[in-house]
Amino acid sequence: MASFQLRQFHFFKRESLEDLPEAFKQPELLLCSNGGDLIFIADSDGSIHIVNRSFIVRSFVATSDVPGTRITQMLHIHETRTLLTIEENVSTASSRPIIKLWPVDKLLRQTDVQPVTVKYQQPTSTPHPLTAVAATPSISQIALGFAGGHIVLIRGNIAKSKSTKQRTLHVAPEPVTNLHFISDDTGTSTTLFATTTAQTLAFDTSGSKSDPSILEERGCGIGCSLVNDDNELIVARDEAIYVYTTEGRGPCFAFDAPKVLIRRFRHYLLLATAAPSSMAPTMDHSKDDDDDIHLDSTDSRVYSYNDATTFTILDTKNKLVAYTGVIAGGVRGVAIEWGSVFVLGGHGTLDHFSEKDLLEKLDILYRQNLYPLAVKMAQNGNYDLAS
């Protein structure tokens, strides 16, 4: 695969938010959002904090009081205003994951809300950690992926905990890392994309057929895949970003860096990549109107794969890097809400990324005499060139 250097710009403004609610300052936080005008945070004590646009927090206890029990995964299903949580006891290997469905609107209005506990059978006699979960918008199907390689499908009236059926779709010799549902325009056909550490798969979950389509004999890590608006699976591997349909692999986009996480914001891909001390760049955020990215070779801070992450906003439409910078302490989570991107850092920081408007970006390109790129960006942004 050919290697080339993408042009890098400063098309996003970064602001480190101060005076955060106490919920953001606790260790080992889990963050999620999904277009429901809310951000959800789970802490290591088993509490979940719901944050609105004004950063007003409403909290509730989501786990039992057994020591070591915590929320290990969350999924906000905004179509039905439901929060799916995975509860596990991280202090013992024999813990059976507990799946709960919480009505978000009731959580915002009431106290002592009781969730629906999803009934399912462990696929093996020895419990394995639950490494991936997905649900359809109607919650008529939930898929579970385990570290032992099993992919389990639950179907039925799951939200009411009635008339559910379970079957094992697949058993892999390696851990399941990601699961994603897609549906066709009519809603009659549903496909489950799945990745393990060694394979990329697709399952038709509409009927009784369970044989997978093997899209590629390569997988990806946890958090390194997503589904876009075109129902394509995007997989981030160290050397590139790949696109898959149910028919197989499509185009790829070269971006060589050890991927930790991928998310999507509008037509941008948000990438968290490991930043070793020899390659970790630092950015000067004191001048938000700077055109270019400043790499400070005199910076005395030392980052490692464990304590720093490079956060990159990749514009695949215009083939450029719209932002890059280091998140000290690593990226705990990324939330996309209220027309912006929020990145929770490992040192308890919360950075807010807002996109500059098109005229600001065009001005940056004009001042660097990058006229063809400016024209392309204006056309992609539906800007009237005659003006």
Side-chain angles (χ1 to χ4, degrees):
M1 182 180 299
S3 178
F4 61 94
Q5 184 68 39
L6 293 174
R7 291 186 179 274
Q8 298 185 353
F9 298 96
H10 200 159
F11 288 160
F12 277 74
K13 300 175 183 177
R14 175 178 178 175
E15 176 189 7
S16 294
L17 300 183
E18 306 292 340
D19 301 322
L20 294 171
E22 287 298 318
F24 286 92
K25 301 175 183 179
Q26 300 184 51
E28 300 182 52
L29 295 179
L30 183 67
L31 184 75
C32 89
S33 70
N34 189 24
D37 208 35
L38 298 167
I39 293 175
F40 299 87
I41 302 170
D43 64 30
S44 58
D45 294 327
S47 292
I48 291 178
H49 313 276
I50 307 175
V51 185
N52 67 12
R53 182 189 290 262
S54 301
F55 277 72
I56 297 173
V57 179
R58 188 175 182 90
S59 305
F60 67 98
V61 177
T63 65
S64 67
D65 55 3
V66 176
T69 302
R70 66 176 60 177
I71 301 298
T72 56
Q73 294 188 62
M74 289 191 297
L75 178 65
H76 181 212
I77 309 162
H78 70 87
E79 292 89 348
T80 53
R81 302 280 288 177
T82 301
L83 182 68
L84 184 155
T85 61
I86 305 297
E87 175 183 331
E88 296 182 85
N89 190 325
V90 297
S91 64
T92 174
S94 61
S95 171
R96 180 181 184 276
I98 299 173
I99 307 168
K100 295 178 180 179
L101 300 174
W102 300 86
V104 173
D105 290 332
K106 286 186 178 180
L107 291 171
L108 294 172
R109 296 192 308 263
Q110 305 172 16
T111 58
D112 195 28
V113 175
Q114 296 302 310
V116 171
T117 300
V118 178
K119 298 177 181 178
Y120 74 100
Q121 297 294 322
Q122 282 277 123
T124 60
S125 58
T126 302
H128 290 281
L130 189 58
T131 50
V133 62
T136 57
S138 63
I139 322 181
S140 60
Q141 297 186 41
I142 290 179
L144 308 175
F146 293 87
H150 289 75
I151 299 176
V152 171
L153 179 69
I154 305 170
R155 300 180 62 178
N157 192 351
I158 301 172
K160 300 292 186 182
S161 194
K162 298 178 181 178
S163 303
T164 60
K165 296 181 179 180
Q166 173 182 325
R167 62 188 170 107
T168 298
L169 290 179
H170 188 64
V171 181
E174 64 280 335
V176 179
T177 52
N178 301 282
L179 296 170
H180 308 280
F181 279 110
I182 61 169
S183 298
D184 63 8
D185 293 337
T186 64
T188 57
S189 177
T190 302
T191 298
L192 175 69
F193 285 121
T195 65
T196 70
T197 55
Q199 284 186 318
T200 301
L201 310 164
F203 302 85
D204 181 357
T205 63
S206 303
S208 58
K209 179 184 176 182
S210 60
D211 293 336
S213 297
I214 300 175
L215 304 180
E216 187 157 13
E217 293 287 358
R218 299 176 68 199
C220 68
I222 292 175
C224 289
S225 70
L226 56 83
V227 169
N228 65 15
D229 289 335
D230 296 321
N231 278 344
E232 297 170 325
L233 176 69
I234 310 299
V235 174
R237 300 192 183 104
D238 286 356
E239 74 283 357
I241 298 163
Y242 297 87
V243 179
Y244 297 87
T245 68
T246 55
E247 303 300 318
R249 199 178 95 179
C252 67
F253 191 90
F255 190 83
D256 191 7
K259 312 296 190 302
V260 177
L261 184 76
I262 184 171
R263 294 290 183 268
R264 184 169 61 92
F265 173 64
R266 296 172 182 165
H267 67 278
Y268 298 100
L269 292 179
L270 313 177
L271 297 170
T273 57
S277 56
S278 60
M279 64 179 282
T282 60
M283 289 193 66
D284 178 6
H285 304 295
S286 60
K287 299 178 181 179
D288 279 337
D289 58 348
D290 275 0
D291 302 349
D292 304 314
I293 292 170
H294 300 280
L295 301 183
D296 183 3
S297 60
T298 64
D299 180 50
S300 60
R301 290 174 291 179
V302 176
Y303 298 103
S304 72
Y305 282 107
N306 294 322
D307 67 13
T309 304
T310 298
F311 182 68
T312 301
I313 302 177
L314 188 63
D315 184 344
T316 57
K317 184 184 295 184
N318 295 299
K319 303 295 189 295
L320 57 84
V321 172
Y323 177 88
T324 189
V326 165
I327 307 295
V331 173
R332 286 187 192 167
V334 177
I336 292 122
E337 288 297 338
W338 316 309
S340 298
V341 177
F342 297 86
V343 177
L344 183 66
H347 292 167
T349 60
L350 186 68
D351 289 322
H352 171 228
F353 295 84
S354 58
E355 185 179 5
K356 294 181 179 180
D357 64 39
L358 181 58
L359 289 180
E360 288 181 276
K361 291 187 281 189
L362 292 179
D363 181 61
I364 291 172
L365 297 176
Y366 290 151
R367 284 191 275 128
Q368 297 187 43
N369 298 323
L370 298 173
Y371 302 115
L373 181 55
V375 171
K376 179 182 179 182
M377 183 171 290
Q379 291 172 334
N380 287 335
N382 298 319
Y383 186 70
D384 184 4
L385 295 175
S387 63

